[in-house]
Amino acid sequence: MTPEELLPDSLLERIRGRAAGYDRDNTFFHEDLRELAAAGYLKLFVSTSDGGMGFGLEAAAQCQRRLATAAPATALAVNMHLVWTGVAQVLGARGDQSLDFVLKEAANGEIFAYGNSEAGNDSVLFDSRTTATPSPDGGYSFTGTKIFTSLSPAWTRLGIFGKDSEARDGDGELVHGFITRDTAGYRILDDWDTLGMRASQSSTTVLEGVRVPAERIFRKLPVGPNPDPLIFAIFACFETLLAAVYTGLGERALAEGVETVKRRTSFKNGGRSYAQDPDIRWKVAEAAMAMDNLYPQLKTVASDVDALADHGPQWFPKLVGLKVNATETARRVVDLAIRVSGGSSYFRGSELERLYRDVLAGMFHPSDDESAHNTVANAWLGPLEP
């Protein structure tokens, strides 16, 4: 099955038709999720033998790009489920079956969410402000606050991590595990009232000694950067699928801008279409060229992950560079589309107005601009001298 067959135009139009209402009312995309689940979309990375699509990262990114042209917030939230199932697939392709259970549970309809982000933690995956307290039976209790927990109203499995400060002779250890929806000891705050991406309902999750049994603990890693395959898999899936969403957003903004330019007419030029205005044409061309540069980068990075390409220390620069390029390109393209579309795009309810707000979320996702440039500079120039 191709992305176009999985997401036919008829389904995309229904999803697009609901996006403005979700945004206006600040509500979760329940109808979208039901239709996507029924279509098998949440099983993109699940093997065909288990009833899934059997897709790799390149095909999944194509799907997310296509979905984002209809509803960026829906696509962004679904990303978090796809990150975990994608991580399981990427690890499995490299001989690591530690997260095979994620794919099995996704095949049975479970919905995964990503609960790692923390306010003020610019170390991201390499440290945690959440406390992980070990139990004699091998389980852990987690206490801390996780932000931007997309799919808050719907997840049935939440991936979390925290730090056991006493482990490894006091150097600390980062402990990763999953809780289920019926696990006691967490609260989801009703605090998602944002500028854009409102339908994602990425609420704050407060962990209050929530217990993860030993069998749901899947990784223990040292504090700080390390070469564990899990870190690569998370970065590869998170950054690539995120880039796919913003690529789709930019693609839709360009299409909307083009259609608006064709409809607009100039009074001073005798009612001629703005498509005949050289200045407007220049802006449309600039947006189109920016998007044309982005498509091959997304495809190449995703296909290299699928092909188990060995980029060595250049892998992380490629991944963070893709994310920054996608989010910044989409923002520039939306801005150009707004400029050529005139005052109508300034009104609430216009699709470009919503895309303008949605695209701003891109600057807040890891890796942020500063971190990404530091990663790339270190790869090419080495670390700063002490």
Side-chain angles (χ1 to χ4, degrees), residues 249-266:
L249 193 160
E251 182 177 343
R252 178 63 180 178
L254 174 59
E256 281 293 288
V258 167
E259 289 304 310
T260 304
V261 164
K262 290 178 179 178
R263 291 194 304 268
R264 291 182 69 203
T265 56
S266 171

mmCIF file of all heavy atoms in Angstrom, residues 249-266:
data_model
loop_
_atom_site.group_PDB
_atom_site.id
_atom_site.type_symbol
_atom_site.label_atom_id
_atom_site.label_comp_id
_atom_site.label_asym_id
_atom_site.label_seq_id
_atom_site.Cartn_x
_atom_site.Cartn_y
_atom_site.Cartn_z
ATOM 1 N N LEU A 249 3.343 20.935 6.129
ATOM 2 C CA LEU A 249 2.743 22.228 6.445
ATOM 3 C C LEU A 249 3.187 23.281 5.423
ATOM 4 O O LEU A 249 2.368 24.055 4.903
ATOM 5 C CB LEU A 249 3.143 22.627 7.862
ATOM 6 C CG LEU A 249 2.403 23.788 8.533
ATOM 7 C CD1 LEU A 249 2.578 23.713 10.054
ATOM 8 C CD2 LEU A 249 2.883 25.144 8.039
ATOM 9 N N GLY A 250 4.481 23.305 5.127
ATOM 10 C CA GLY A 250 4.979 24.250 4.138
ATOM 11 C C GLY A 250 4.409 23.987 2.756
ATOM 12 O O GLY A 250 4.080 24.923 2.009
ATOM 13 N N GLU A 251 4.270 22.715 2.421
ATOM 14 C CA GLU A 251 3.704 22.342 1.130
ATOM 15 C C GLU A 251 2.275 22.882 0.984
ATOM 16 O O GLU A 251 1.895 23.415 -0.061
ATOM 17 C CB GLU A 251 3.718 20.822 1.012
ATOM 18 C CG GLU A 251 3.207 20.261 -0.291
ATOM 19 C CD GLU A 251 3.324 18.748 -0.342
ATOM 20 O OE1 GLU A 251 4.069 18.172 0.472
ATOM 21 O OE2 GLU A 251 2.650 18.138 -1.198
ATOM 22 N N ARG A 252 1.481 22.725 2.049
ATOM 23 C CA ARG A 252 0.102 23.214 2.006
ATOM 24 C C ARG A 252 0.063 24.736 1.927
ATOM 25 O O ARG A 252 -0.755 25.310 1.200
ATOM 26 C CB ARG A 252 -0.661 22.730 3.244
ATOM 27 C CG ARG A 252 -2.091 23.218 3.319
ATOM 28 C CD ARG A 252 -2.930 22.713 2.170
ATOM 29 N NE ARG A 252 -4.300 23.196 2.276
ATOM 30 C CZ ARG A 252 -5.249 22.944 1.371
ATOM 31 N NH1 ARG A 252 -4.962 22.214 0.289
ATOM 32 N NH2 ARG A 252 -6.475 23.416 1.529
ATOM 33 N N ALA A 253 0.926 25.412 2.671
ATOM 34 C CA ALA A 253 0.944 26.873 2.642
ATOM 35 C C ALA A 253 1.275 27.384 1.241
ATOM 36 O O ALA A 253 0.656 28.341 0.755
ATOM 37 C CB ALA A 253 1.958 27.401 3.650
ATOM 38 N N LEU A 254 2.233 26.747 0.584
ATOM 39 C CA LEU A 254 2.585 27.148 -0.780
ATOM 40 C C LEU A 254 1.392 26.962 -1.713
ATOM 41 O O LEU A 254 1.068 27.850 -2.508
ATOM 42 C CB LEU A 254 3.780 26.337 -1.276
ATOM 43 C CG LEU A 254 4.181 26.545 -2.739
ATOM 44 C CD1 LEU A 254 4.525 28.003 -3.012
ATOM 45 C CD2 LEU A 254 5.351 25.630 -3.105
ATOM 46 N N ALA A 255 0.722 25.814 -1.624
ATOM 47 C CA ALA A 255 -0.437 25.551 -2.485
ATOM 48 C C ALA A 255 -1.544 26.570 -2.243
ATOM 49 O O ALA A 255 -2.174 27.068 -3.192
ATOM 50 C CB ALA A 255 -0.955 24.135 -2.242
ATOM 51 N N GLU A 256 -1.807 26.889 -0.971
ATOM 52 C CA GLU A 256 -2.831 27.878 -0.641
ATOM 53 C C GLU A 256 -2.445 29.259 -1.161
ATOM 54 O O GLU A 256 -3.289 29.998 -1.674
ATOM 55 C CB GLU A 256 -3.045 27.934 0.870
ATOM 56 C CG GLU A 256 -3.907 26.827 1.413
ATOM 57 C CD GLU A 256 -5.335 26.953 0.915
ATOM 58 O OE1 GLU A 256 -6.049 27.862 1.372
ATOM 59 O OE2 GLU A 256 -5.728 26.150 0.051
ATOM 60 N N GLY A 257 -1.168 29.609 -1.011
ATOM 61 C CA GLY A 257 -0.719 30.892 -1.514
ATOM 62 C C GLY A 257 -0.883 31.004 -3.017
ATOM 63 O O GLY A 257 -1.334 32.038 -3.532
ATOM 64 N N VAL A 258 -0.537 29.962 -3.739
ATOM 65 C CA VAL A 258 -0.667 29.964 -5.202
ATOM 66 C C VAL A 258 -2.125 30.141 -5.618
ATOM 67 O O VAL A 258 -2.450 30.949 -6.501
ATOM 68 C CB VAL A 258 -0.078 28.663 -5.783
ATOM 69 C CG1 VAL A 258 -0.478 28.493 -7.251
ATOM 70 C CG2 VAL A 258 1.439 28.660 -5.652
ATOM 71 N N GLU A 259 -3.018 29.388 -4.980
ATOM 72 C CA GLU A 259 -4.432 29.494 -5.346
ATOM 73 C C GLU A 259 -4.989 30.881 -5.030
ATOM 74 O O GLU A 259 -5.800 31.425 -5.801
ATOM 75 C CB GLU A 259 -5.240 28.419 -4.615
ATOM 76 C CG GLU A 259 -4.979 27.012 -5.132
ATOM 77 C CD GLU A 259 -5.236 26.899 -6.620
ATOM 78 O OE1 GLU A 259 -6.330 27.331 -7.071
ATOM 79 O OE2 GLU A 259 -4.349 26.416 -7.343
ATOM 80 N N THR A 260 -4.571 31.460 -3.919
ATOM 81 C CA THR A 260 -5.053 32.794 -3.563
ATOM 82 C C THR A 260 -4.549 33.839 -4.540
ATOM 83 O O THR A 260 -5.296 34.742 -4.954
ATOM 84 C CB THR A 260 -4.612 33.159 -2.135
ATOM 85 O OG1 THR A 260 -5.075 32.148 -1.229
ATOM 86 C CG2 THR A 260 -5.182 34.499 -1.717
ATOM 87 N N VAL A 261 -3.280 33.718 -4.930
ATOM 88 C CA VAL A 261 -2.717 34.660 -5.894
ATOM 89 C C VAL A 261 -3.478 34.598 -7.221
ATOM 90 O O VAL A 261 -3.759 35.642 -7.849
ATOM 91 C CB VAL A 261 -1.220 34.365 -6.109
ATOM 92 C CG1 VAL A 261 -0.694 35.051 -7.366
ATOM 93 C CG2 VAL A 261 -0.420 34.811 -4.897
ATOM 94 N N LYS A 262 -3.848 33.422 -7.632
ATOM 95 C CA LYS A 262 -4.586 33.285 -8.893
ATOM 96 C C LYS A 262 -5.976 33.918 -8.809
ATOM 97 O O LYS A 262 -6.497 34.434 -9.803
ATOM 98 C CB LYS A 262 -4.711 31.807 -9.264
ATOM 99 C CG LYS A 262 -3.412 31.151 -9.692
ATOM 100 C CD LYS A 262 -3.630 29.682 -9.995
ATOM 101 C CE LYS A 262 -2.348 28.998 -10.451
ATOM 102 N NZ LYS A 262 -2.553 27.545 -10.701
ATOM 103 N N ARG A 263 -6.574 33.887 -7.591
ATOM 104 C CA ARG A 263 -7.915 34.446 -7.431
ATOM 105 C C ARG A 263 -7.904 35.965 -7.256
ATOM 106 O O ARG A 263 -8.846 36.652 -7.660
ATOM 107 C CB ARG A 263 -8.608 33.824 -6.218
ATOM 108 C CG ARG A 263 -8.984 32.377 -6.361
ATOM 109 C CD ARG A 263 -9.960 31.972 -5.254
ATOM 110 N NE ARG A 263 -9.437 32.243 -3.913
ATOM 111 C CZ ARG A 263 -8.764 31.358 -3.190
ATOM 112 N NH1 ARG A 263 -8.519 30.155 -3.687
ATOM 113 N NH2 ARG A 263 -8.344 31.669 -1.975
ATOM 114 N N ARG A 264 -6.853 36.468 -6.623
ATOM 115 C CA ARG A 264 -6.808 37.911 -6.329
ATOM 116 C C ARG A 264 -6.645 38.730 -7.616
ATOM 117 O O ARG A 264 -5.926 38.330 -8.534
ATOM 118 C CB ARG A 264 -5.641 38.243 -5.400
ATOM 119 C CG ARG A 264 -5.767 37.743 -3.987
ATOM 120 C CD ARG A 264 -4.562 38.199 -3.167
ATOM 121 N NE ARG A 264 -4.569 39.630 -2.949
ATOM 122 C CZ ARG A 264 -3.484 40.349 -2.677
ATOM 123 N NH1 ARG A 264 -2.295 39.762 -2.624
ATOM 124 N NH2 ARG A 264 -3.575 41.648 -2.465
ATOM 125 N N THR A 265 -7.313 39.855 -7.627
ATOM 126 C CA THR A 265 -7.184 40.733 -8.778
ATOM 127 C C THR A 265 -6.749 42.119 -8.317
ATOM 128 O O THR A 265 -7.002 42.539 -7.190
ATOM 129 C CB THR A 265 -8.509 40.853 -9.546
ATOM 130 O OG1 THR A 265 -9.535 41.291 -8.653
ATOM 131 C CG2 THR A 265 -8.907 39.513 -10.159
ATOM 132 N N SER A 266 -6.081 42.807 -9.211
ATOM 133 C CA SER A 266 -5.531 44.133 -8.910
ATOM 134 C C SER A 266 -6.403 45.221 -9.536
ATOM 135 O O SER A 266 -6.572 45.265 -10.764
ATOM 136 C CB SER A 266 -4.101 44.236 -9.445
ATOM 137 O OG SER A 266 -3.624 45.563 -9.345
#
